[in-house]
Amino acid sequence: MAYQQVALIVLLTIISINASHYRGGSLSWSIHDDSTNGSSSTVVVRITQRHSYRKTYSVNTYCNQTTIASNNVIGDGNVICLGDCSGYSVNGTYYIIPTFDTYVPCTDFSDEFDYSSGEGSVDVIVPKDTRFTYAVQSCCWISLLHGGNDWSLALVVDTHQRRNGKYNNSPKTSSSPVVQVQIGQTHVIPIPMADSDGDALRCRWGQNQIECGGICDPKGTLQQFPCQLSYEATTLGYEGVALVIEDYDPVTNETYSSIPLQF
């Protein structure tokens, strides 16, 4: 979170020699309906990712109007599968959950706050009846008031059929990489949540290093639904926020999937 525009620019000038470059992101997934028909043992899952970086960090994170017009990409690192991801056997055929990079077309940038953001999607073929976690992990966050260093975002994908015979799609969310708040005030920040399946939704803090990397400490008070973050601003600088949004069965409390949001 950033505070008071003029003072913030001075702060960035002072700390830039120690800062790194990550500024937040989100991931979500959906299953192609036409891939669920017939007797195929696999489905096509579309992974959508959005990431923001310090614009002036490197050529890989730099974006301007020419970058956008040319559909050039920004990024750093890979989306990897965690756990046993290479030994899925379906009807005698072995499947590997694929790894892919985080490079996405730049969509917007800010010279004032020194960030570039991009969003893109990739389709992966995975077995049905599978539950696994994709993660984006690297180093380092920009300089923060608390925590920082490594970043880690975790996306839980599940390709089992639900009790209604349909396949799930994850929730979706979005946020600017910078939310400005004024020192000396308590702010209520709404966190958007949507679900194409009409599922019940809730948000929570990231709870372990896979879900939140170096920014796991809660920043304020979080309401689960509708998702709202109440934050009392007392110090000039940036805070890193790591949230997890889940769709779930309100009767059994079963979590269908979870997606990360960090800013």
Side-chain angles (χ1 to χ4, degrees):
M1 299 176 183
Y3 319 109
Q4 294 182 336
Q5 177 177 337
V6 175
L8 174 66
I9 295 173
V10 175
L11 174 69
L12 288 177
T13 302
I14 294 171
I15 67 175
S16 61
I17 58 172
N18 295 319
S20 193
H21 59 294
Y22 196 63
R23 304 201 62 158
S26 62
L27 295 96
S28 62
W29 60 272
S30 60
I31 292 180
H32 285 239
D33 287 339
D34 55 3
S35 72
T36 63
N37 300 325
S39 58
S40 173
S41 57
T42 62
V43 290
V44 178
V45 179
R46 173 160 292 179
I47 308 295
T48 299
Q49 54 179 327
R50 180 174 177 82
H51 301 287
S52 298
Y53 305 94
R54 182 159 62 90
K55 177 183 175 183
T56 54
Y57 174 71
S58 76
V59 294
N60 292 330
T61 63
Y62 184 83
C63 178
N64 57 20
Q65 290 294 351
T66 302
T67 311
I68 295 174
S70 303
N71 203 39
N72 289 339
V73 297
I74 59 173
D76 180 11
N78 294 306
V79 181
I80 61 172
C81 180
L82 299 181
D84 183 11
C85 304
S86 60
Y88 288 104
S89 176
V90 181
N91 297 329
T93 301
Y94 283 88
Y95 293 91
I96 297 174
I97 305 298
T99 294
F100 50 95
D101 63 50
T102 60
Y103 285 81
V104 292
C106 183
T107 56
D108 55 283
F109 64 91
S110 170
D111 291 328
E112 178 183 4
F113 293 110
D114 192 21
Y115 71 76
S116 301
S117 299
E119 182 171 336
S121 299
V122 61
D123 291 345
V124 296
I125 299 175
V126 300
K128 292 179 179 177
D129 301 326
T130 301
R131 187 177 178 94
F132 62 93
T133 299
Y134 265 135
V136 179
Q137 299 175 318
S138 191
C139 186
C140 292
W141 273 90
I142 61 169
S143 292
L144 302 173
L145 292 173
H146 302 95
N149 296 321
D150 296 347
W151 75 76
S152 183
L153 296 80
L155 176 72
V156 176
V157 180
D158 195 316
T159 62
H160 291 85
Q161 277 185 298
R162 290 161 52 157
R163 284 186 292 273
N164 60 8
K166 297 181 179 181
Y167 288 87
N168 192 48
N169 299 284
S170 79
K172 296 184 183 299
T173 187
S174 63
S175 173
S176 168
V178 177
V179 179
Q180 294 188 77
V181 293
Q182 186 171 346
I183 289 178
Q185 297 184 12
T186 298
H187 300 263
V188 177
I189 303 168
I191 307 299
M193 302 189 298
D195 190 279
S196 61
D197 302 317
D199 293 327
L201 298 174
R202 61 191 174 197
C203 67
R204 59 174 174 83
W205 299 109
Q207 296 175 343
N208 53 61
Q209 189 160 359
I210 293 175
E211 291 186 336
C212 44
I215 59 168
C216 290
D217 290 344
K219 312 300 192 308
T221 302
L222 189 65
Q223 175 179 284
Q224 287 194 327
F225 184 84
C227 188
Q228 293 182 340
L229 170 60
S230 297
Y231 177 78
E232 182 179 359
T234 60
T235 308
L236 182 68
Y238 286 103
E239 292 277 26
V241 175
L243 303 180
V244 174
I245 295 172
E246 301 173 331
D247 54 348
Y248 69 102
D249 185 328
V251 176
T252 66
N253 206 38
E254 173 191 3
T255 300
Y256 297 135
S257 64
S258 64
I259 66 170
L261 174 64
Q262 298 183 14
F263 60 92

